[in-house]
């Protein structure tokens, strides 16, 4: 939606779809039935003094403010990319772990605020807010920043800017929303870094994952999007963007081929730039991987240089740290190596291409 990760809706994201439908449905119901809203108020004093532990569950799941529900829904929809890349179980484990950690952080931060400013925090905004803020940690660390445009020539707009704007809007919607945001960011950092092996302690068991796969996934799963609609006849923006990228790639490859011919005529021993041949050889295979397409026959005059350049391409050094980052995002090691070699070890360009295709 906001980032350049494709716009396939909620395909392969049943947990995100379930959260959006169930939590927003409950918010609408409570808006229509205000007499039941008291049961979902996140009251810290009721938990500590009156031992109403059930308020932790009710008050930290459903939003009572429609604005908070809308902003958090936009963020959950955008962060569905993590469920696609890592799987529903790992995504659910992250939400569960950060939910438990942020519940403890809420009380610690409220007590610290009371000791510093002599002000007692009684209530906090309701909803699944702290775990949503915790997702900004992997979003900041894992999703590369790609420039989109500039404002006034100095302010850079990237593929992540609008997500941060929505997060800022959610942050400023309530007086003590900053406390939940800080709690979520701390919890997300601790769980993402596996501090004290938290990922081995707070996780969704395999039997729960299997039960959810057979019971809940059929209810919230989305069908795979099709790309059969022709351009100009009701095609989606995603299909149009894909077709435009295909046209640009063809133009780029044609210009690449013509330049290789000119270089071959100019000097028979001169080798073209490695980056050009890398993009020519690798990108068609990456774009159409998994599809049975006949290979393109190279031009006879450029065949000699392409064959002499191939060993250099296969042996070009690739930073193992960059390969590990791409593998952690869910790509295979083979695709990560090819993309990094094709982009001359530019991890932002390699990641953007892999996410788009």
């Amino acid at each position: 939606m906001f980032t350049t990760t494709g716009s396939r809706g909620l395909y392969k994201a049943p947990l995100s779809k379930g959260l959006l439908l169930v939590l927003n449905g409950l918010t609408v119901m409570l808006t229509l039935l205000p007499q039941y809203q008291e049961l979902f108020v996140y009251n810290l004093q009721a938990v500590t003094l009156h031992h109403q532990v059930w308020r932790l569950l009710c008050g930290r799941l459903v939003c009572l403010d429609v604005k908070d529900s809308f902003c958090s829904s936009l963020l959950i929809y955008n962060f569905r990319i993590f469920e696609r890349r890592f799987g529903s179980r790992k995504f659910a484990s992250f939400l569960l772990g950060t939910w438990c950690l942020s519940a403890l952080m809420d009380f610690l931060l409220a007590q610290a605020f009371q000791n510093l400013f002599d002000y007692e925090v009684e209530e906090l905004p309701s909803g699944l807010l702290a775990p949503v803020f915790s997702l900004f940690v992997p979003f900041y660390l894992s999703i590369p920043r790609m420039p989109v445009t500039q404002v006034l020539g100095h302010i850079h707009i990237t593929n992540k800017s609008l997500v941060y704007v929505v997060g800022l809007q959610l942050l400023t919607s309530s007086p003590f929303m900053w406390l939940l945001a800080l709690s979520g960011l701390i919890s997300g950092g601790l769980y993402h870094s596996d501090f004290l092996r938290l990922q081995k302690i707070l996780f969704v068991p395999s039997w729960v994952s299997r039960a959810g796969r057979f019971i809940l996934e059929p209810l919230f799963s989305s069908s795979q999007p099709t790309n059969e609609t022709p351009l100009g006849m009701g095609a989606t923006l995603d299909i149009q963007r894909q077709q435009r990228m295909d046209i640009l790639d063809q133009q780029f490859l044609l210009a690449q081929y013509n330049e290789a011919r000119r270089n071959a005529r100019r000097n028979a021993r001169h080798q073209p730039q490695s980056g050009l041949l890398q993009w020519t050889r690798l990108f068609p295979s990456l774009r159409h991987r998994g599809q049975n397409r006949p290979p393109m026959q190279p031009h006879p005059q450029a065949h000699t240089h392409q064959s002499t350049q191939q060993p250099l391409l296969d042996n070009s050094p690739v930073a193992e740290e960059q390969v590990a980052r791409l593998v952690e995002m869910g790509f295979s090691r083979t695709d990560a190596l090819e993309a990094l070699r094709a982009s001359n070890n530019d991890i932002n360009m390699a990641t953007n291409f892999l996410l788009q295709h």
Side-chain angles (χ1 to χ4, degrees):
M1 180 178 181
F2 300 122
T3 59
T4 56
T5 55
S7 55
R8 299 181 180 179
L10 292 166
Y11 175 61
K12 289 187 178 181
L15 179 59
S16 300
K17 183 177 181 180
L19 291 175
L20 291 175
L21 292 177
V22 174
L23 298 183
N24 286 306
L26 291 175
T27 300
V28 173
M29 290 179 59
L30 292 176
T31 303
L32 299 176
L33 302 173
Q35 63 270 24
Y36 296 103
Q37 291 185 1
E38 178 61 27
L39 299 176
F40 294 88
V41 174
Y42 187 18
N43 194 315
L44 299 180
Q45 297 300 319
V47 176
T48 55
L49 299 180
H50 303 288
H51 306 289
Q52 297 179 359
V53 184
W54 55 270
R55 287 191 178 274
L56 286 176
L57 180 62
C58 297
R60 304 186 76 248
L61 282 181
V62 183
C63 291
L64 297 180
D65 193 326
V66 178
K67 299 189 302 297
D68 295 346
S69 179
F70 178 75
C71 292
S72 60
S73 297
L74 289 179
L75 294 175
I76 291 175
Y77 181 82
N78 181 78
F79 292 146
R80 76 199 186 281
I81 182 62
F82 297 118
E83 184 177 2
R84 289 179 180 172
R85 294 301 176 187
F86 303 137
S88 298
R89 182 188 176 187
K90 191 172 182 180
F91 184 67
S93 298
F94 184 89
L95 292 178
L96 175 63
T98 54
W99 188 91
C100 296
L101 291 175
S102 59
L104 176 61
M105 288 295 171
D106 290 347
F107 289 93
L108 294 179
L109 292 176
Q111 187 64 38
F113 185 81
Q114 180 179 355
N115 295 335
L116 291 175
F117 301 100
D118 195 21
Y119 184 87
E120 186 176 9
V121 180
E122 297 182 359
E123 294 183 2
L124 291 176
S126 302
L128 193 71
L129 300 174
V132 170
F133 280 112
S134 67
L135 287 169
F136 276 99
V137 175
F139 179 76
Y140 175 79
L141 298 176
S142 302
I143 302 299
R145 183 180 61 181
M146 301 298 297
V148 176
T149 185
Q150 290 185 355
V151 178
L152 303 178
H154 300 285
I155 303 176
H156 295 272
I157 304 298
T158 68
N159 57 328
K160 303 168 69 173
S161 298
L162 289 179
V163 181
Y164 292 129
V165 170
V166 176
L168 183 61
Q169 173 65 33
L170 182 60
L171 177 65
T172 57
S173 62
S174 301
F176 284 101
M177 186 66 73
W178 64 268
L179 193 147
L180 292 177
L182 182 58
S183 173
L185 293 177
I186 295 176
S187 303
L190 293 176
Y191 194 87
H192 184 75
S193 61
D194 199 13
F195 180 72
L196 297 178
R197 301 181 65 85
L198 288 173
Q199 297 180 9
K200 304 296 182 182
I201 301 174
L202 301 173
F203 64 95
V204 175
S206 58
W207 64 270
V208 176
S209 177
R210 288 193 299 267
R213 185 180 303 113
F214 289 106
I215 299 176
L216 299 179
E217 187 172 352
L219 299 176
F220 300 112
S221 60
S222 300
S223 59
Q224 182 177 1
T226 58
N227 294 335
E228 299 177 355
T229 307
L231 184 63
M233 298 180 62
T236 63
L237 294 178
D238 188 47
I239 299 174
Q240 296 179 19
R241 182 178 61 185
Q242 183 69 29
Q243 292 177 348
R244 287 195 296 268
M245 292 181 62
D246 291 337
I247 296 175
L248 291 176
D249 282 351
Q250 293 175 4
Q251 295 176 352
F252 177 78
L253 293 178
L254 181 60
Q256 172 69 26
Y257 176 72
N258 293 332
E259 184 174 352
R261 290 187 59 187
R262 289 194 297 268
N263 291 335
R265 292 174 181 175
R266 187 179 302 112
N267 189 348
R269 294 177 298 176
H270 175 69
Q271 294 183 353
Q273 297 180 3
S274 59
L276 297 176
L277 288 177
Q278 290 171 1
W279 288 91
T280 305
R281 188 175 73 88
L282 290 178
F283 272 16
S285 61
L286 284 176
R287 175 179 291 276
H288 305 299
R289 61 178 184 267
Q291 302 180 6
N292 296 325
R293 301 198 177 200
M296 297 179 61
Q297 297 293 334
H299 195 275
Q301 297 182 4
H303 179 72
T304 304
H305 304 288
Q306 191 170 4
S307 61
T308 57
Q309 185 64 22
Q310 183 172 352
L312 178 61
L313 176 64
D314 294 338
N315 298 327
S316 59
V318 176
E320 188 63 29
E321 181 182 356
Q322 296 178 348
V323 176
R325 287 186 60 185
L326 292 177
V327 171
E328 289 178 358
M329 293 179 64
F331 304 110
S332 65
R333 181 177 178 83
T334 302
D335 290 344
L337 288 172
E338 289 185 349
L340 286 172
R341 288 169 180 164
S343 59
N344 291 327
N345 287 325
D346 189 335
I347 189 171
N348 289 335
M349 188 177 299
T351 307
N352 186 47
F353 186 85
L354 289 172
L355 290 174
Q356 291 281 359
H357 301 77

